[in-house]
């Protein structure tokens, strides 16, 4: 009777093994194991029935139970191996890569025209031994105006529509305050440029924005003259706009320089003959400059008898617009990918 029961268990075990292989289910395999070989499993139940078996038959039946157990165990083991293998193979099949498919082109970004213009200006001036100074976007009134010879009530203060944070703290309207910070450090000579963002409460249009970029320049040493300024800025213009570029200095006024000038470059479109690009002038204004005012030197603790200096300020947007023949400043801020990817 036990013998029949063992046969039956074996038959059922093999049948459900087949099933779980068909279903590719490891769970089902484990369930079979528990159901038959577990502590409360069917084979254990059979062993309990040994009490009824006569003494002389017990070893034989015991052996039979063990054989059955082993047979089922190794069948289970084999099924498990098979199943694992086919699961692995299915996974590999699902992960194969079709190397004949066409590739996806990565989208490359490009540098912003303002960044390109700035990098170019930095390259030119660092090539002449200038260092880069970091300025402050939030500035004291003192550095933005007073120390630059623009005292309260000065009309220049009015011209530059300023965003005030408090009476004494403001968003800088020009990078020129960096000159003062550098001079106050007391390390001479100075040769620096300082690019950065400036703010003025202007309405947005094709040539104005409430926030734009300037690059400030300052050189201070003994025996510096206006011809040093001219030579330096003429070389800058040639490197930026091409070897044939000519420059012209027109007298101007800035409170912190004396004398002051604006520098024009010969139109790089028509070579100076006059065209639509330079509005028939043949010349294009690109920066303001001058010899640092002795009073400005003095206020920053520099002896104006021994030391002289020149300074200049360039509008970065203007350079980018000119160099890349862009006719509306707003294009620089809208971040339209179709525009930006051309650079
Ligand atoms: N800060 C001036 C402006 O915003 C530009 C400028 C002119 C800077 C002459 C200078 C300079 O350093 O010497 O219009």
């Amino acid at each position: 009777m036990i013998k029949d029961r063992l046969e039956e268990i074996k038959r059922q075990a093999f049948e459900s093994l087949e099933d779980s292989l068909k279903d590719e289910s490891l769970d089902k395999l484990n369930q079979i194991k528990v159901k038959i070989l577990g502590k409360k499993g069917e084979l254990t139940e059979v062993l309990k029935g040994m009490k009824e078996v006569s003494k002389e038959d017990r070893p034989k039946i015991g052996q039979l139970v063990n054989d059955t157990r082993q047979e089922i165990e190794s069948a289970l083991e084999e099924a498990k191996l098979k199943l694992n293998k086919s699961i692995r193979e299915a996974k590999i099949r699902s992960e194969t890569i079709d190397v004949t498919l066409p590739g996806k082109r990565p989208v490359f970004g490009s540098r912003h025209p303002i960044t390109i213009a700035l990098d170019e200006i930095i390259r030119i001036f660092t090539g002449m031994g200038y260092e880069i100074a970091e300025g402050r976007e939030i500035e004291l009134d003192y550095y933005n105006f007073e120390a630059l010879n623009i005292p309260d009530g000065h009309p220049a203060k009015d011209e530059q529509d300023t965003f005030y944070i408090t009476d004494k703290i403001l968003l800088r309207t020009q990078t020129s305050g960096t000159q003062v910070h550098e001079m106050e450090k007391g390390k001479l000579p100075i040769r620096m440029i300082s690019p950065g963002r400036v703010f003025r409460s202007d309405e947005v249009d094709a040539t104005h924005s409430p926030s734009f970029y300037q690059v400030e320049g300052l050189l201070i040493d003994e025996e510096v003259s206006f011809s040093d300024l001219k030579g330096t800025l003429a070389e800058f213009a040639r490197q930026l706009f091409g070897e044939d570029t000519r420059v012209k200095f027109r007298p101007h006024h800035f409170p912190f320089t004396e004398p002051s000038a604006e520098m024009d470059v010969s139109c790089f479109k028509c070579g100076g003959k006059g065209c639509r690009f330079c509005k028939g002038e043949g010349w294009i204004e690109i920066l303001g400059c001058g010899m640092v005012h002795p009073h400005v030197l003095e206020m920053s603790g520099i002896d104006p008898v021994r030391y002289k200096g020149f300074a200049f300020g360039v509008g970065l947007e203007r350079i980018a617009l000119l160099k890349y023949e862009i006719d509306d400043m707003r294009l620089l801020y809208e971040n339209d990918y179709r525009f930006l990817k051309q650079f």
Side-chain angles (χ1 to χ4, degrees):
M1 228 190 61
I2 286 190
K3 220 170 143 189
D4 292 344
R5 176 76 187 120
L6 286 175
E7 280 302 319
E8 177 60 16
I9 290 173
K10 208 158 82 183
R11 198 188 56 75
Q12 272 180 11
F14 285 159
E15 216 175 80
S16 15
L17 271 183
E18 286 297 319
D19 275 355
S20 54
L21 277 180
K22 238 186 268 158
D23 295 353
E24 298 204 326
S25 163
L26 275 174
D27 275 355
K28 275 195 182 166
L29 266 189
N30 284 331
Q31 278 163 20
I32 298 170
K33 193 171 176 182
V34 174
K35 185 169 164 254
I36 299 171
L37 308 173
K39 256 193 197 151
K40 290 180 183 161
E42 292 171 1
L43 272 183
T44 320
E45 283 305 309
V46 172
L47 281 174
K48 279 184 194 156
M50 288 287 270
K51 277 179 263 163
E52 274 118 67
V53 177
S54 65
K55 251 200 179 137
E56 41 295 7
D57 283 348
R58 266 186 210 170
K60 229 168 75 197
I61 299 293
Q63 185 65 40
L64 208 58
V65 174
N66 272 342
D67 288 351
T68 308
R69 170 181 281 274
Q70 250 162 34
E71 235 178 297
I72 294 173
E73 266 176 358
S74 55
L76 263 170
E77 201 49 42
E78 203 180 309
K80 204 169 163 183
L81 285 176
K82 246 196 217 162
L83 199 52
N84 273 329
K85 189 167 170 239
S86 68
I87 289 172
R88 240 186 353 258
E89 280 169 358
K91 189 159 184 256
I92 287 170
R93 261 197 313 281
S94 75
E95 284 175 357
T96 46
I97 294 165
D98 183 352
V99 290
T100 64
L101 284 173
K104 278 192 201 137
R105 222 174 251 286
V107 181
F108 287 108
S110 54
R111 281 188 305 159
H112 193 282
I114 293 182
T115 308
I116 302 175
L118 175 58
D119 286 350
E120 186 66 5
I121 293 173
I122 288 175
R123 184 191 65 75
I124 296 168
F125 280 104
T126 50
M128 294 196 266
Y130 284 65
E131 282 170 15
I132 301 192
E134 194 84 46
R136 306 172 182 186
E137 291 178 359
I138 297 172
E139 188 56 284
L140 288 172
D141 177 277
Y142 175 77
Y143 290 95
N144 196 73
F145 293 125
E146 220 174 301
L148 292 167
N149 237 0
I150 313 173
D152 281 347
H154 192 290
K157 230 173 155 167
D158 223 48
E159 266 166 29
Q160 300 179 333
D161 282 348
T162 309
F163 289 114
Y164 277 94
I165 295 169
T166 70
D167 272 6
K168 292 280 162 217
I169 301 169
L170 45 80
L171 296 183
R172 65 174 173 189
T173 60
Q174 50 185 352
T175 44
S176 302
T178 316
Q179 290 186 32
V180 180
H181 286 292
E182 289 305 297
M183 289 190 285
E184 281 184 351
K185 287 182 183 165
K187 269 195 353 215
L188 294 166
I190 296 171
R191 249 189 235 187
M192 71 92 184
I193 57 167
S194 182
R197 211 167 186 173
V198 302
F199 306 87
R200 291 181 199 177
S201 63
D202 280 331
E203 294 287 334
V204 177
D205 66 24
T207 53
H208 292 87
S209 160
S211 162
F212 54 100
Y213 290 85
Q214 289 186 334
V215 182
E216 194 72 19
L218 176 70
L219 179 142
I220 294 189
D221 207 340
E222 294 178 39
E223 299 184 35
V224 178
S225 70
F226 199 86
S227 47
D228 295 314
L229 174 155
K230 282 172 73 179
T232 302
L233 294 179
E235 178 56 23
F236 164 62
R238 276 193 293 272
Q239 288 201 34
L240 193 60
F241 294 113
E243 260 315 295
D244 299 331
T245 309
R246 283 166 297 130
V247 296
K248 179 168 87 173
F249 291 85
R250 276 181 295 100
H252 200 77
H253 171 76
F254 296 106
F256 39 92
T257 45
E258 181 59 37
S260 305
E262 276 186 338
M263 184 176 88
D264 297 350
V265 293
S266 54
C267 176
F268 39 85
K269 216 72 237 245
C270 64
K273 283 194 235 54
C275 65
R276 241 189 41 175
F277 197 67
C278 57
K279 299 190 183 83
E281 301 275 329
W283 296 95
I284 298 168
E285 180 229 313
I286 67 156
L287 57 80
C289 58
M291 300 304 289
V292 181
H293 198 294
H295 188 223
V296 171
L297 290 173
E298 211 166 10
M299 279 189 284
S300 297
I302 293 175
D303 175 4
V305 177
R306 184 165 165 210
Y307 287 98
K308 301 272 179 290
F310 65 74
F312 53 91
V314 189
L316 252 190
E317 278 80 354
R318 194 165 160 72
I319 300 290
L321 295 181
L322 288 172
K323 228 173 134 58
Y324 303 110
E325 298 179 27
I326 303 162
D327 55 14
D328 193 323
M329 192 162 158
R330 284 169 288 201
L331 286 166
L332 294 176
Y333 307 120
E334 280 164 358
N335 285 335
D336 185 329
Y337 180 63
R338 290 165 302 179
F339 169 74
L340 292 176
K341 75 176 175 193
Q342 299 173 60
F343 298 92

